[in-house]
Amino acid sequence: MPFDVVCIAVIGKMNNPLYIKNCSSTYQDLKCHYIAHTSIDLVEERISTTKHTDQYLGLLYAMEELAVFGYITNTRVKFIIVTSLQDVAIKDQEMKNLFRKIHNSYVSLVSNPFYNPDSHKPIVSANFERAMAEVTAT
Amino acid sequence: MLKQPRQTGEEIWKTRIDKISAELFTLTYGSVVAQLLKDHENYLEVNKQLDKMGYNIGVKLIEDFLAKSGTNKCGDFRETADTIAKVGFKIFLNIIPTVANFSADSKEFSLILEDNPLSEFVELPEGAVGELWYSNILCGVLRGALEMVQMQVEVFFVSDVLRGDDATELRVKLVKYLEEEVPAGED
């Protein structure tokens, strides 16, 4: 993979954090939480103005060598991927692939009869963790 | 004409069975188990309930099975085991478990399920891991079905992938063959 994923965040439909994973050693966890939080505003802005029908929201914003990409599902669950900025522009197709993988793992998680998606509690699932580790490893 | 049970199962599956979405089936069973848990809040009780439900299903399912497969009476318990695995499971779940660990007196055997359509996507919650047998309904189904063909059996799970074991294994024990009994009212 030509770029590094710094963190992945899954945010529920009430804008509650469900899952935040810090994949880098250089940034603190708190920073990941902060970035995920600020991305929520941008996601809301994007969906209210344009791109109603597209799930992939593209580059939301860039700051201090980090680029933030967003993706929203039809059930208003948001996925955020933060990567470190490289000289080479990151292709949309690659980001879409990553988001699709995350979406598939999320679907498997929700299909678990013991998972309650309305509970607003953070995600606790060994399979989901494993899938996220795979996403960042490739 | 005696066909191989594997072939019979395959044929019946392809021609005479209506199919539904696997996800619908898995999600329905999942919600049954989740609801039972909410109602009883006791994993052992849920195991019992699943077994009871399975028993009721098995008692009726055997008729469907015999009608669709047209198998003759099995000669011995080994044939029964084979028929269950290659025809029964194949027709209703489209899987063929492996028959293994036959006891010396041929009265017990194990069924090892490689993938279990009932438990796709399932992760057991913390407290359940030592106590809940998620697919316990299968035990009831086998018990009910075999009772209708004059065999009293005990069926129970030995291991389950959901609990972290290597394989999902069901043990079937023949208790006795049931003789035709005269109903209590007649003499």
Side-chain angles (χ1 to χ4, degrees), chain B residues 20-31 92-93 116-118:
Chain B
I20 63 159
S21 147
E23 262 135 14
L24 178 61
F25 179 63
T26 306
L27 288 174
T28 305
Y29 184 69
S31 60
F92 295 115
L93 290 174
N116 183 357
L118 291 172

Side-chain angles (χ1 to χ4, degrees), chain A residues 108 111-114 125-128, chain B residues 27 30 34 37 121-123 125 134:
Chain A
S108 307
S111 308
N112 180 5
F114 299 113
S125 155
N127 286 349
F128 191 70
Chain B
L27 288 174
L37 265 172
F121 312 126
V122 177
E123 268 179 81
Y134 185 79

Side-chain angles (χ1 to χ4, degrees), chain B:
Chain B
M1 184 172 65
L2 264 176
K3 280 206 199 128
Q4 293 294 337
R6 192 179 279 269
Q7 267 178 294
T8 320
E10 194 59 52
E11 249 180 72
I12 301 176
W13 167 256
K14 285 204 190 118
T15 55
R16 288 189 245 164
I17 307 288
D18 294 328
K19 320 252 183 345
I20 63 159
S21 147
E23 262 135 14
L24 178 61
F25 179 63
T26 306
L27 288 174
T28 305
Y29 184 69
S31 60
V32 165
V33 179
Q35 189 61 45
L36 278 173
L37 265 172
K38 255 187 247 163
D39 290 340
H40 296 276
E41 292 189 14
N42 172 353
Y43 296 112
L44 300 175
E45 185 61 34
V46 172
N47 287 342
K48 263 195 235 139
Q49 291 295 327
L50 284 173
D51 189 77
K52 257 198 237 167
M53 286 171 59
Y55 179 80
N56 292 330
I57 295 179
V59 163
K60 300 173 189 144
L61 201 66
I62 186 73
E63 304 289 344
D64 193 31
F65 172 75
L66 291 171
K68 291 210 164 85
S69 67
T71 43
N72 304 321
K73 204 164 152 68
C74 290
D76 61 4
F77 202 51
R78 278 181 187 263
E79 261 190 70
T80 311
D82 239 17
T83 313
I84 294 177
K86 298 197 178 112
V87 189
F89 270 87
K90 176 73 184 171
I91 297 185
F92 295 115
L93 290 174
N94 197 24
I95 54 173
I96 300 189
T98 329
V99 179
N101 298 341
F102 246 108
S103 67
D105 55 2
S106 281
K107 287 211 171 156
E108 283 184 37
F109 65 93
S110 286
L111 285 167
I112 303 184
L113 285 83
E114 247 155 41
D115 49 3
N116 183 357
L118 291 172
S119 61
E120 273 210 71
F121 312 126
V122 177
E123 268 179 81
L124 289 182
E126 288 288 320
V129 174
E131 311 209 340
L132 178 71
W133 293 115
Y134 185 79
S135 313
N136 213 37
I137 205 169
L138 295 176
C139 298
V141 172
L142 286 176
R143 188 166 61 88
L146 289 172
E147 192 171 300
M148 290 291 115
V149 283
Q150 279 81 50
M151 281 179 257
Q152 190 183 340
V153 292
E154 256 178 52
V155 188
F156 50 93
F157 268 97
V158 173
S159 64
D160 192 353
V161 180
L162 292 177
R163 288 195 179 196
D165 301 321
D166 296 324
T168 307
E169 188 177 328
L170 264 166
R171 191 111 188 111
V172 181
K173 250 195 218 171
L174 175 65
V175 173
K176 63 176 182 194
Y177 285 101
L178 299 164
E179 298 302 327
E180 288 291 341
E181 279 171 14
V182 180
E186 305 171 17
D187 235 320

